[in-house]
Amino acid sequence: MKTISELQGVASQVRRDIIRMTSQAQSGHPGGSLGCADFLTALYFNVMNIDPENFKMDGKNEDLFFLSNGHITPVFYSILARRGYFPISELGTFRKLDSRLQGHPSISHNLPGIRMASGSLGQGLSNAIGSALTKKLNGDKSIVYCLCGDGELQEGQNWEAIMFAPAKNVDNLIAVVDLNGLQIDGATKDVCDLGDLRAKFEAFDWQVLDMDGHSVENILSVLHEAKEKLKNKKPVFIVMKTEMGKGVDFMENNYKYHGSVTNEEQTKVALSQLKETLGDF
């Protein structure tokens, strides 16, 4: 377990990794990755029961995480490397030919920590529910976590899954939405307004919590509360408020950085705003 200060330090290093990975590749999705750094740091370093050094695809007796918004691999790969799933030096191969660190997660490359190919949006929650039900059938008391993007919830398959989970008492599932209000074409409210997500999930009989995605203290507190609420025999949905591009002033709340990367000068500016705490790859 790490202290709040240590978790904040890891998150800062993860943000540096994100900028360096995407700028070196001149490709990738830095905006949402920067926004989810605090959450995934807290989840992987202090919350989930995992065994990085002995990764197995079946995930028996371990908590599982599914990245449904698979385009934010920069943050996911950094977290996995920093947590010990594979060498940190491998981050330098991001999106390069024959790299295991593909632009979207790929199970065909046998990268430890990856249990689902994602990026075709809308499918992660269904996969997470299937894994959660499998654990229940096997008597495995572990928890399944899933992260979705807010724009991703415009995909119809999500709503079948959202209806199914409470109806079948999937009480070992915690789903989180990264609510930054932006997607590749602009604001979600302008592309296809999501409305009141809390009210919608409550109407589908989920237990709903709110979370500040940039407060490590609040993230840990809400995730603890979510685990306690699973005892009510229903899944939990967390509305996580974040800022796209968090940590780099010119990228914050700028939808253009959903899938655009920094040039050489911008990279220098970005890195000057992010503290190096664990050593760059």
Side-chain angles (χ1 to χ4, degrees):
M1 298 287 286
K2 292 186 177 295
T3 65
I4 298 297
S5 178
E6 288 172 335
L7 290 171
Q8 292 169 335
V10 173
S12 180
Q13 186 64 56
V14 166
R15 287 189 166 97
R16 285 184 63 88
D17 291 346
I18 292 164
I19 294 298
R20 297 184 72 245
M21 290 163 66
T22 55
S23 63
Q24 287 180 18
Q26 279 298 290
S27 181
H29 297 78
S33 294
L34 291 167
C36 291
D38 301 300
F39 166 67
L40 287 174
T41 296
L43 184 68
Y44 267 85
F45 283 84
N46 271 41
V47 176
M48 288 200 302
N49 172 39
I50 52 178
D51 186 7
E53 296 181 356
N54 298 290
F55 174 76
K56 295 180 181 178
M57 284 294 288
D58 60 27
K60 289 182 178 179
N61 300 312
E62 283 190 81
D63 292 338
L64 302 182
F65 171 76
F66 292 94
L67 180 71
S68 189
N69 49 337
H71 53 278
I72 62 168
T73 47
V75 65
F76 194 25
Y77 293 151
S78 173
I79 289 289
L80 292 177
R82 297 288 173 181
R83 189 62 177 84
Y85 281 91
F86 57 85
I88 293 170
S89 60
E90 197 167 347
L91 295 177
T93 72
F94 177 64
R95 282 189 175 238
K96 292 184 179 180
L97 188 64
D98 296 326
S99 171
R100 296 196 296 177
L101 278 60
Q102 296 291 296
H104 293 76
S106 171
I107 57 174
S108 64
H109 288 71
N110 299 314
L111 184 66
I114 305 296
R115 291 189 171 92
M116 168 191 164
S118 60
S120 295
L121 298 178
Q123 300 178 9
L125 187 54
S126 296
N127 279 272
I129 290 171
S131 295
L133 286 173
T134 299
K135 284 187 175 295
K136 286 170 66 72
L137 289 170
N138 290 334
D140 185 338
K141 302 299 184 182
S142 304
I143 298 173
V144 178
Y145 297 85
C146 180
L147 176 64
C148 304
D150 50 1
E152 181 186 9
L153 292 183
Q154 295 161 353
E155 297 279 355
Q157 181 175 334
N158 288 297
W159 296 96
E160 294 182 47
I162 292 163
M163 176 174 59
F164 181 91
K168 301 303 179 182
N169 302 116
V170 185
D171 57 356
N172 54 346
L173 172 67
I174 297 174
V176 181
V177 63
D178 174 23
L179 189 68
N180 60 32
L182 301 173
Q183 57 191 104
I184 193 168
D185 290 325
T188 53
K189 64 180 178 62
D190 296 327
V191 177
C192 186
D193 197 350
L194 295 164
D196 187 339
L197 284 181
R198 166 178 274 277
K200 288 182 177 180
F201 272 79
E202 286 178 339
F204 277 78
D205 207 24
W206 286 66
Q207 303 177 94
V208 184
L209 298 171
D210 295 296
M211 185 163 72
D212 178 352
H214 300 310
S215 166
V216 173
E217 297 95 330
N218 187 246
I219 293 168
L220 294 175
S221 174
V222 173
L223 288 175
H224 175 73
E225 183 180 356
K227 289 195 289 184
E228 288 297 308
K229 280 188 171 293
L230 291 177
K231 296 176 182 177
N232 296 328
K233 302 301 181 182
K234 293 181 181 180
V236 175
F237 177 70
I238 299 175
V239 181
M240 179 176 71
K241 187 67 176 71
T242 69
E243 293 181 10
M244 180 175 284
K246 181 67 175 179
V248 180
D249 57 8
F250 63 87
M251 300 177 76
E252 290 181 349
N253 292 313
N254 187 340
Y255 79 90
K256 293 182 179 179
Y257 285 101
H258 169 95
S260 298
V261 302
T262 53
N263 60 32
E264 185 175 350
E265 286 304 313
Q266 290 172 325
T267 299
K268 291 179 181 178
V269 173
L271 292 175
S272 72
Q273 298 177 25
L274 300 167
K275 185 177 181 181
E276 182 181 353
T277 58
L278 301 175
D280 290 331
F281 63 82

